[in-house]
Coordinates of all heavy atoms in Angstrom, one line a residue:
M1 N 22.7 -35.4 44.3 CA 23.5 -34.3 44.8 C 23.1 -33.0 44.2 O 23.0 -32.0 44.8 CB 25.0 -34.6 44.7 CG 25.5 -35.6 45.7 SD 27.3 -36.0 45.5 CE 28.0 -34.4 45.4
L2 N 22.8 -33.1 42.9 CA 22.4 -31.9 42.2 C 21.1 -31.3 42.7 O 21.0 -30.1 42.9 CB 22.3 -32.1 40.7 CG 23.6 -32.4 39.9 CD1 23.3 -32.9 38.5 CD2 24.5 -31.2 39.9
I3 N 20.2 -32.2 42.9 CA 18.8 -31.7 43.5 C 19.1 -31.2 44.9 O 18.4 -30.2 45.3 CB 17.8 -32.9 43.4 CG1 17.5 -33.2 42.0 CG2 16.6 -32.5 44.2 CD1 16.7 -34.4 41.8
E4 N 19.9 -31.8 45.7 CA 20.1 -31.4 47.1 C 20.7 -30.0 47.1 O 20.3 -29.1 47.8 CB 20.9 -32.4 47.8 CG 21.0 -32.2 49.3 CD 22.0 -31.2 49.8 OE1 23.0 -31.0 49.1 OE2 21.7 -30.5 50.8
R5 N 21.8 -29.8 46.2 CA 22.5 -28.5 46.2 C 21.6 -27.4 45.6 O 21.7 -26.3 46.0 CB 23.8 -28.7 45.4 CG 24.8 -29.5 46.2 CD 25.3 -28.7 47.4 NE 26.2 -29.5 48.2 CZ 26.6 -29.3 49.4 NH1 26.2 -28.2 50.0 NH2 27.4 -30.1 50.0
A6 N 20.9 -27.7 44.5 CA 20.1 -26.7 43.9 C 18.8 -26.4 44.5 O 18.4 -25.2 44.5 CB 19.9 -27.2 42.4
L7 N 18.2 -27.3 45.2 CA 16.8 -27.1 45.7 C 16.6 -27.3 47.1 O 16.1 -26.5 47.9 CB 15.8 -27.9 44.9 CG 15.8 -27.7 43.4 CD1 14.9 -28.8 42.7 CD2 15.3 -26.3 43.0
L8 N 17.1 -28.5 47.6 CA 16.7 -28.9 49.0 C 17.5 -28.1 50.1 O 17.0 -27.9 51.2 CB 17.1 -30.3 49.2 CG 16.1 -31.3 48.5 CD1 16.6 -32.7 48.7 CD2 14.7 -31.2 49.1
Q9 N 18.7 -27.6 49.8 CA 19.4 -26.8 50.8 C 18.7 -25.6 51.2 O 18.9 -25.1 52.3 CB 20.8 -26.5 50.3 CG 20.9 -25.4 49.3 CD 22.3 -25.1 48.9 OE1 23.2 -25.5 49.6 NE2 22.5 -24.2 47.9
W10 N 17.8 -25.0 50.4 CA 17.1 -23.8 50.7 C 15.9 -24.1 51.6 O 15.3 -23.2 52.2 CB 16.6 -23.1 49.5 CG 17.7 -22.9 48.5 CD1 18.0 -23.5 47.3 CD2 18.8 -21.9 48.6 NE1 19.1 -23.0 46.7 CE2 19.6 -22.0 47.5 CE3 19.1 -20.9 49.6 CZ2 20.7 -21.3 47.3 CZ3 20.2 -20.2 49.4 CH2 21.0 -20.3 48.3
L11 N 15.6 -25.4 51.8 CA 14.4 -25.8 52.6 C 14.8 -26.2 54.0 O 13.9 -26.6 54.8 CB 13.6 -26.8 51.9 CG 13.1 -26.4 50.5 CD1 12.4 -27.6 49.9 CD2 12.1 -25.3 50.6
Y12 N 16.1 -26.3 54.3 CA 16.5 -26.9 55.6 C 16.0 -26.1 56.7 O 15.6 -26.7 57.8 CB 18.0 -27.0 55.6 CG 18.6 -28.0 54.8 CD1 19.9 -28.0 54.4 CD2 17.9 -29.2 54.5 CE1 20.5 -28.9 53.6 CE2 18.5 -30.2 53.7 CZ 19.8 -30.1 53.3 OH 20.3 -31.0 52.5
K13 N 15.9 -24.8 56.6 CA 15.4 -24.0 57.8 C 13.9 -23.9 57.9 O 13.4 -23.4 58.8 CB 16.0 -22.6 57.7 CG 15.7 -21.9 56.4 CD 16.6 -20.6 56.3 CE 16.5 -20.1 54.9 NZ 17.8 -20.1 54.3
L14 N 13.2 -24.5 56.9 CA 11.7 -24.6 56.9 C 11.3 -25.9 57.5 O 12.1 -26.8 57.9 CB 11.2 -24.4 55.5 CG 11.5 -23.0 54.9 CD1 11.0 -23.0 53.4 CD2 11.0 -21.9 55.6
D15 N 10.0 -26.1 57.6 CA 9.4 -27.3 58.0 C 9.8 -28.5 57.1 O 9.9 -28.3 55.9 CB 7.9 -27.2 58.1 CG 7.1 -28.3 58.7 OD1 7.8 -29.1 59.4 OD2 5.9 -28.5 58.5
H16 N 9.9 -29.7 57.7 CA 10.3 -30.8 56.9 C 9.4 -31.2 55.8 O 9.7 -31.9 54.8 CB 10.6 -32.0 57.8 CG 11.7 -31.8 58.7 ND1 13.0 -31.7 58.3 CD2 11.8 -31.7 60.1 CE1 13.8 -31.5 59.4 NE2 13.0 -31.6 60.5
L17 N 8.1 -30.8 56.0 CA 7.1 -31.1 55.0 C 7.4 -30.5 53.7 O 7.1 -31.1 52.6 CB 5.7 -30.6 55.6 CG 4.5 -31.0 54.7 CD1 4.4 -32.5 54.6 CD2 3.2 -30.4 55.3
Y18 N 8.0 -29.3 53.6 CA 8.3 -28.7 52.3 C 9.3 -29.5 51.6 O 9.2 -29.7 50.3 CB 8.9 -27.3 52.5 CG 7.8 -26.3 53.0 CD1 7.9 -25.8 54.3 CD2 6.8 -25.9 52.2 CE1 6.9 -25.0 54.8 CE2 5.8 -25.0 52.7 CZ 5.9 -24.6 54.0 OH 4.9 -23.7 54.4
G19 N 10.3 -30.1 52.2 CA 11.3 -31.0 51.5 C 10.6 -32.2 51.0 O 10.9 -32.7 49.9
L20 N 9.7 -32.8 51.8 CA 8.9 -34.0 51.4 C 8.1 -33.7 50.2 O 8.1 -34.4 49.2 CB 8.0 -34.5 52.5 CG 7.2 -35.7 52.2 CD1 8.1 -36.9 52.0 CD2 6.2 -35.9 53.3
L21 N 7.4 -32.5 50.2 CA 6.6 -32.1 49.0 C 7.4 -31.9 47.8 O 7.0 -32.2 46.7 CB 5.7 -30.9 49.4 CG 4.6 -31.1 50.3 CD1 3.9 -29.8 50.7 CD2 3.6 -32.1 49.8
L22 N 8.6 -31.3 47.9 CA 9.4 -31.0 46.8 C 9.9 -32.3 46.2 O 9.9 -32.4 45.0 CB 10.6 -30.1 47.2 CG 11.6 -29.8 46.1 CD1 11.0 -29.0 45.1 CD2 12.8 -29.2 46.7
T23 N 10.4 -33.2 47.0 CA 10.9 -34.4 46.4 C 9.8 -35.3 45.8 O 10.0 -35.9 44.8 CB 11.7 -35.2 47.5 OG1 10.8 -35.4 48.6 CG2 12.9 -34.5 47.9
F24 N 8.6 -35.2 46.4 CA 7.5 -36.0 45.9 C 7.1 -35.4 44.5 O 6.9 -36.1 43.5 CB 6.3 -36.0 46.8 CG 5.2 -36.8 46.3 CD1 5.3 -38.1 46.2 CD2 4.0 -36.1 46.0 CE1 4.2 -38.9 45.8 CE2 2.9 -36.9 45.5 CZ 3.0 -38.3 45.5
G25 N 7.0 -34.1 44.4 CA 6.7 -33.4 43.2 C 7.7 -33.6 42.1 O 7.4 -33.9 41.0
L26 N 9.0 -33.6 42.5 CA 10.1 -33.9 41.5 C 10.0 -35.4 41.0 O 10.2 -35.6 39.8 CB 11.4 -33.7 42.1 CG 11.8 -32.2 42.3 CD1 13.2 -32.1 43.1 CD2 12.0 -31.5 41.0
A27 N 9.6 -36.3 41.9 CA 9.5 -37.7 41.5 C 8.3 -37.8 40.5 O 8.4 -38.5 39.5 CB 9.2 -38.6 42.7
L28 N 7.2 -37.1 40.7 CA 6.1 -37.1 39.7 C 6.5 -36.5 38.4 O 6.1 -37.0 37.4 CB 4.9 -36.3 40.3 CG 4.2 -37.0 41.5 CD1 3.1 -36.1 42.0 CD2 3.6 -38.3 41.1
I29 N 7.2 -35.4 38.4 CA 7.7 -34.8 37.2 C 8.6 -35.8 36.4 O 8.5 -35.9 35.2 CB 8.4 -33.5 37.5 CG1 7.4 -32.5 37.9 CG2 9.1 -33.0 36.2 CD1 8.0 -31.2 38.5
I30 N 9.6 -36.4 37.1 CA 10.5 -37.3 36.4 C 9.7 -38.5 35.9 O 9.9 -39.0 34.7 CB 11.6 -37.8 37.4 CG1 12.5 -36.6 37.7 CG2 12.4 -38.9 36.9 CD1 13.4 -36.8 38.9
E31 N 8.8 -39.1 36.6 CA 8.0 -40.2 36.2 C 7.1 -39.8 35.0 O 7.0 -40.6 34.0 CB 7.1 -40.7 37.3 CG 6.3 -41.9 36.9 CD 5.4 -42.4 38.1 OE1 5.7 -42.1 39.2 OE2 4.4 -43.1 37.8
G32 N 6.5 -38.6 35.0 CA 5.7 -38.2 33.8 C 6.6 -37.9 32.6 O 6.2 -38.3 31.5
T33 N 7.8 -37.4 32.8 CA 8.7 -37.2 31.7 C 9.1 -38.6 31.1 O 9.2 -38.7 29.9 CB 9.9 -36.4 32.1 OG1 9.5 -35.2 32.7 CG2 10.9 -36.1 30.9
Y34 N 9.4 -39.5 32.0 CA 9.7 -40.9 31.5 C 8.6 -41.5 30.7 O 8.8 -42.1 29.7 CB 10.1 -41.7 32.7 CG 10.4 -43.2 32.3 CD1 11.5 -43.5 31.6 CD2 9.4 -44.2 32.6 CE1 11.8 -44.9 31.3 CE2 9.7 -45.5 32.3 CZ 10.8 -45.8 31.6 OH 11.0 -47.1 31.3
A35 N 7.4 -41.3 31.1 CA 6.2 -41.9 30.5 C 6.0 -41.3 29.1 O 5.6 -42.0 28.2 CB 4.9 -41.7 31.3
I36 N 6.4 -40.0 28.9 CA 6.2 -39.4 27.6 C 7.2 -40.0 26.6 O 6.8 -40.2 25.4 CB 6.5 -37.9 27.7 CG1 5.3 -37.2 28.5 CG2 6.6 -37.2 26.4 CD1 5.5 -35.8 28.8
F37 N 8.4 -40.2 27.0 CA 9.4 -40.7 26.1 C 9.7 -42.2 26.1 O 10.6 -42.7 25.5 CB 10.7 -40.0 26.4 CG 10.6 -38.5 26.1 CD1 10.6 -37.6 27.2 CD2 10.5 -38.0 24.9 CE1 10.5 -36.2 27.0 CE2 10.5 -36.6 24.7 CZ 10.4 -35.8 25.7
S38 N 8.8 -42.9 26.7 CA 9.0 -44.4 26.8 C 8.1 -45.1 26.0 O 7.3 -44.6 25.2 CB 9.0 -44.8 28.3 OG 7.6 -44.8 28.7
A39 N 8.1 -46.4 26.1 CA 7.2 -47.3 25.3 C 5.7 -47.3 25.8 O 4.9 -47.8 25.1 CB 7.7 -48.8 25.5
F40 N 5.4 -46.6 26.9 CA 4.1 -46.4 27.3 C 3.2 -45.7 26.3 O 2.0 -45.8 26.2 CB 3.9 -45.7 28.7 CG 4.5 -46.5 29.8 CD1 5.5 -45.9 30.6 CD2 4.1 -47.7 30.1 CE1 6.0 -46.6 31.7 CE2 4.6 -48.5 31.2 CZ 5.6 -47.9 32.0
R41 N 3.8 -44.9 25.4 CA 3.1 -44.2 24.5 C 2.9 -45.0 23.2 O 2.4 -44.4 22.2 CB 3.9 -42.9 24.1 CG 4.2 -42.0 25.3 CD 3.2 -41.1 25.6 NE 2.9 -40.2 24.4 CZ 2.1 -39.3 24.4 NH1 1.3 -39.1 25.5 NH2 1.9 -38.6 23.3
T42 N 3.2 -46.2 23.2 CA 3.1 -47.1 22.0 C 1.6 -47.3 21.8 O 0.9 -47.8 22.6 CB 3.8 -48.4 22.2 OG1 5.1 -48.2 22.5 CG2 3.6 -49.3 20.9
A43 N 1.1 -46.9 20.6 CA -0.3 -47.1 20.3 C -0.5 -48.5 19.7 O 0.3 -49.0 18.9 CB -0.7 -46.1 19.2
Y44 N -1.5 -49.2 20.2 CA -1.9 -50.5 19.7 C -3.0 -50.4 18.7 O -4.0 -49.6 18.9 CB -2.3 -51.4 20.9 CG -1.1 -51.6 21.8 CD1 -1.0 -50.9 23.0 CD2 -0.1 -52.5 21.5 CE1 0.0 -51.1 23.9 CE2 0.9 -52.7 22.4 CZ 1.0 -52.0 23.6 OH 2.1 -52.2 24.4
P45 N -3.0 -51.2 17.7 CA -4.2 -51.1 16.8 C -5.5 -51.6 17.4 O -5.5 -52.6 18.2 CB -3.7 -52.0 15.6 CG -2.7 -52.9 16.2 CD -2.0 -52.2 17.3
V46 N -6.5 -50.9 17.1 CA -7.9 -51.3 17.6 C -8.4 -52.4 16.8 O -8.4 -52.2 15.5 CB -8.8 -50.0 17.6 CG1 -10.2 -50.4 18.1 CG2 -8.2 -49.0 18.5
P47 N -8.9 -53.4 17.3 CA -9.6 -54.5 16.5 C -10.7 -54.0 15.7 O -11.5 -53.1 16.2 CB -10.0 -55.5 17.6 CG -9.3 -55.2 18.8 CD -8.9 -53.8 18.8
E48 N -10.9 -54.5 14.5 CA -11.9 -54.0 13.7 C -13.4 -54.1 14.3 O -14.2 -53.3 14.1 CB -11.9 -54.8 12.3 CG -12.8 -54.3 11.3 CD -12.6 -55.0 10.0 OE1 -11.5 -55.3 9.6 OE2 -13.7 -55.3 9.4
Q49 N -13.6 -55.2 15.1 CA -14.9 -55.4 15.7 C -15.2 -54.3 16.7 O -16.4 -54.1 17.0 CB -14.9 -56.8 16.4 CG -14.8 -57.9 15.5 CD -13.3 -58.3 15.3 OE1 -12.4 -57.6 15.6 NE2 -13.1 -59.5 14.7
L50 N -14.2 -53.7 17.3 CA -14.4 -52.6 18.3 C -14.2 -51.2 17.8 O -14.1 -50.3 18.5 CB -13.5 -52.9 19.5 CG -13.7 -54.2 20.2 CD1 -12.6 -54.4 21.3 CD2 -15.1 -54.3 20.8
S51 N -14.0 -51.1 16.5 CA -13.8 -49.7 15.9 C -15.2 -49.0 16.0 O -16.2 -49.5 16.1 CB -13.3 -49.8 14.5 OG -14.3 -50.4 13.7
G52 N -15.1 -47.7 15.9 CA -16.3 -46.8 15.9 C -16.5 -46.3 17.3 O -15.7 -46.5 18.2
A53 N -17.6 -45.6 17.5 CA -17.9 -44.9 18.8 C -19.4 -44.9 19.0 O -20.2 -45.1 18.0 CB -17.3 -43.5 18.8
T54 N -19.8 -44.7 20.2 CA -21.2 -44.6 20.6 C -21.4 -43.2 21.2 O -20.7 -42.8 22.1 CB -21.5 -45.7 21.7 OG1 -21.2 -47.0 21.1 CG2 -23.0 -45.6 22.0
N55 N -22.5 -42.6 20.7 CA -22.9 -41.2 21.2 C -23.8 -41.4 22.4 O -24.9 -41.9 22.3 CB -23.6 -40.4 20.1 CG -23.8 -39.0 20.5 OD1 -23.5 -38.6 21.7 ND2 -24.3 -38.2 19.6
L56 N -23.3 -41.0 23.6 CA -24.1 -41.2 24.8 C -24.9 -39.9 25.1 O -25.6 -39.9 26.1 CB -23.1 -41.5 26.0 CG -22.3 -42.7 25.9 CD1 -21.4 -42.8 27.1 CD2 -23.2 -43.9 25.8
G57 N -24.9 -39.0 24.2 CA -25.7 -37.7 24.5 C -24.8 -36.6 25.0 O -24.8 -35.5 24.6
F58 N -24.0 -36.9 26.1 CA -23.2 -35.9 26.7 C -21.7 -36.1 26.4 O -20.9 -35.3 26.6 CB -23.3 -36.0 28.2 CG -23.0 -37.3 28.9 CD1 -21.7 -37.5 29.3 CD2 -23.9 -38.3 29.0 CE1 -21.3 -38.7 29.9 CE2 -23.5 -39.5 29.6 CZ -22.3 -39.7 30.0
M59 N -21.4 -37.3 25.7 CA -20.1 -37.5 25.2 C -20.1 -38.6 24.2 O -21.0 -39.4 24.1 CB -19.2 -37.9 26.4 CG -19.5 -39.3 27.0 SD -18.4 -39.8 28.3 CE -17.0 -40.4 27.4
I60 N -19.0 -38.7 23.4 CA -18.8 -39.8 22.5 C -17.8 -40.7 23.0 O -16.7 -40.3 23.3 CB -18.4 -39.2 21.1 CG1 -19.5 -38.3 20.6 CG2 -18.1 -40.3 20.2 CD1 -19.2 -37.6 19.3
L61 N -18.2 -42.0 23.2 CA -17.4 -43.0 23.8 C -16.9 -44.0 22.8 O -17.8 -44.7 22.2 CB -18.1 -43.7 25.0 CG -17.3 -44.7 25.8 CD1 -16.2 -44.1 26.5 CD2 -18.2 -45.5 26.7
P62 N -15.6 -44.1 22.5 CA -15.1 -45.1 21.6 C -15.5 -46.5 22.1 O -15.5 -46.8 23.3 CB -13.6 -44.9 21.6 CG -13.4 -43.6 22.1 CD -14.5 -43.3 23.0
N63 N -15.9 -47.4 21.2 CA -16.3 -48.7 21.5 C -15.2 -49.5 22.2 O -15.5 -50.3 23.1 CB -16.8 -49.4 20.3 CG -18.1 -48.8 19.7 OD1 -18.8 -48.2 20.4 ND2 -18.3 -49.1 18.4
Y64 N -14.0 -49.3 21.7 CA -12.8 -50.0 22.3 C -12.7 -49.6 23.8 O -12.5 -50.5 24.7 CB -11.6 -49.7 21.6 CG -10.4 -50.4 22.2 CD1 -10.2 -51.8 22.0 CD2 -9.4 -49.7 22.8 CE1 -9.1 -52.4 22.5 CE2 -8.3 -50.4 23.4 CZ -8.2 -51.7 23.2 OH -7.1 -52.4 23.7
R65 N -12.9 -48.4 24.1 CA -12.7 -48.0 25.6 C -13.9 -48.5 26.4 O -13.7 -48.9 27.6 CB -12.7 -46.4 25.7 CG -11.4 -45.9 25.2 CD -11.2 -44.4 25.6 NE -10.0 -44.0 25.1 CZ -9.6 -42.7 25.1 NH1 -10.4 -41.8 25.7 NH2 -8.5 -42.3 24.6
S66 N -15.1 -48.5 25.8 CA -16.2 -49.1 26.6 C -15.9 -50.6 26.9 O -16.3 -51.1 27.9 CB -17.5 -48.9 25.9 OG -17.5 -49.5 24.7
W67 N -15.4 -51.3 25.9 CA -15.0 -52.7 26.0 C -14.0 -52.9 27.1 O -14.1 -53.8 28.0 CB -14.5 -53.3 24.7 CG -14.2 -54.8 24.9 CD1 -15.0 -55.8 24.8 CD2 -12.9 -55.3 25.2 NE1 -14.3 -57.0 25.0 CE2 -13.0 -56.7 25.2 CE3 -11.6 -54.7 25.4 CZ2 -11.9 -57.5 25.5 CZ3 -10.5 -55.5 25.6 CH2 -10.7 -56.9 25.7
V68 N -12.9 -52.0 27.2 CA -11.9 -52.1 28.2 C -12.5 -51.9 29.6 O -12.2 -52.6 30.6 CB -10.8 -51.1 27.9 CG1 -9.8 -50.9 29.1 CG2 -10.0 -51.5 26.7
V69 N -13.4 -50.9 29.7 CA -14.0 -50.6 31.0 C -14.9 -51.8 31.4 O -14.8 -52.2 32.6 CB -15.0 -49.3 30.9 CG1 -15.8 -49.2 32.1 CG2 -14.0 -48.1 30.7
A70 N -15.7 -52.4 30.5 CA -16.5 -53.6 30.9 C -15.6 -54.8 31.3 O -15.9 -55.4 32.3 CB -17.4 -53.9 29.7
A71 N -14.6 -55.0 30.5 CA -13.7 -56.1 30.9 C -13.0 -55.9 32.2 O -12.9 -56.9 33.0 CB -12.7 -56.3 29.7
S72 N -12.6 -54.7 32.5 CA -11.9 -54.4 33.8 C -12.9 -54.6 34.9 O -12.5 -55.1 36.0 CB -11.4 -52.9 33.7 OG -10.5 -52.8 32.7
L73 N -14.1 -54.1 34.7 CA -15.1 -54.3 35.8 C -15.4 -55.8 36.1 O -15.5 -56.2 37.2 CB -16.5 -53.6 35.5 CG -16.4 -52.1 35.6 CD1 -17.7 -51.5 35.1 CD2 -16.2 -51.7 37.0
M74 N -15.5 -56.6 35.0 CA -15.7 -58.0 35.2 C -14.6 -58.7 35.9 O -14.8 -59.5 36.8 CB -15.9 -58.7 33.8 CG -17.2 -58.4 33.2 SD -17.6 -59.1 31.5 CE -16.3 -60.1 31.1
V75 N -13.3 -58.3 35.6 CA -12.2 -58.8 36.3 C -12.2 -58.4 37.7 O -11.9 -59.2 38.7 CB -10.9 -58.5 35.6 CG1 -9.7 -58.8 36.5 CG2 -10.8 -59.1 34.3
A76 N -12.5 -57.1 38.0 CA -12.5 -56.7 39.4 C -13.6 -57.3 40.2 O -13.3 -57.6 41.4 CB -12.6 -55.1 39.4
L77 N -14.7 -57.4 39.6 CA -15.8 -58.0 40.4 C -15.6 -59.5 40.6 O -16.0 -60.1 41.6 CB -17.2 -57.8 39.6 CG -17.6 -56.3 39.6 CD1 -18.9 -56.2 38.7 CD2 -17.9 -55.8 41.0
R78 N -15.0 -60.2 39.6 CA -14.7 -61.6 39.8 C -13.7 -61.9 40.9 O -13.8 -62.8 41.6 CB -14.3 -62.2 38.5 CG -14.1 -63.7 38.5 CD -13.8 -64.1 37.0 NE -13.6 -65.5 37.0 CZ -14.6 -66.4 36.7 NH1 -15.8 -66.0 36.5 NH2 -14.3 -67.7 36.7
R79 N -12.7 -61.0 41.0 CA -11.7 -61.1 41.9 C -12.2 -60.8 43.3 O -11.7 -61.4 44.3 CB -10.5 -60.1 41.7 CG -9.7 -60.6 40.5 CD -8.3 -60.5 41.0 NE -7.4 -61.1 40.0 CZ -6.4 -61.8 40.3 NH1 -6.0 -61.9 41.5 NH2 -5.6 -62.2 39.4
G80 N -13.2 -59.9 43.4 CA -13.7 -59.6 44.7 C -14.6 -60.6 45.4 O -14.8 -60.7 46.6
S81 N -15.1 -61.5 44.6 CA -16.0 -62.5 45.1 C -15.3 -63.8 45.5 O -14.2 -64.0 45.4 CB -17.1 -62.8 44.2 OG -16.6 -63.3 42.9

């Protein structure tokens, strides 16, 4: 009711798309705020075998992230076949 009274009532005379965009934008803001203050921000320790980074010339890629990308691709390709 607060969002409707404070924001949506001003959009009633405009196209319905503006109300849709406003509510979608508010949902994204609320979800992002929740992600900042929730357990999603919990850092997990990196295994010792995957510590360090690789210099690719144009960027430095942590070994753990390259392992996650490779494992994700293997799972995705295996599921697709």
Side-chain angles (χ1 to χ4, degrees):
M1 284 178 49
L2 292 171
I3 293 172
E4 194 276 331
R5 289 292 176 193
L7 301 171
L8 287 173
Q9 73 175 350
W10 306 107
L11 300 177
Y12 286 156
K13 53 187 166 250
L14 300 175
D15 188 16
H16 295 296
L17 185 60
Y18 291 110
L20 178 68
L21 288 173
L22 177 67
T23 53
F24 184 68
L26 287 172
L28 289 176
I29 290 170
I30 292 168
E31 182 180 339
T33 305
Y34 174 74
I36 289 172
F37 296 108
S38 70
F40 293 124
R41 303 273 301 180
T42 303
Y44 297 101
V46 175
E48 188 176 316
Q49 298 87 349
L50 297 174
S51 63
T54 303
N55 187 353
L56 300 177
F58 61 94
M59 69 178 282
I60 296 175
L61 183 65
N63 294 337
Y64 181 71
R65 287 192 183 174
S66 60
W67 180 85
V68 169
V69 168
S72 300
L73 285 173
M74 288 181 1
V75 169
L77 293 174
R78 186 173 179 94
R79 287 232 172 213
S81 60

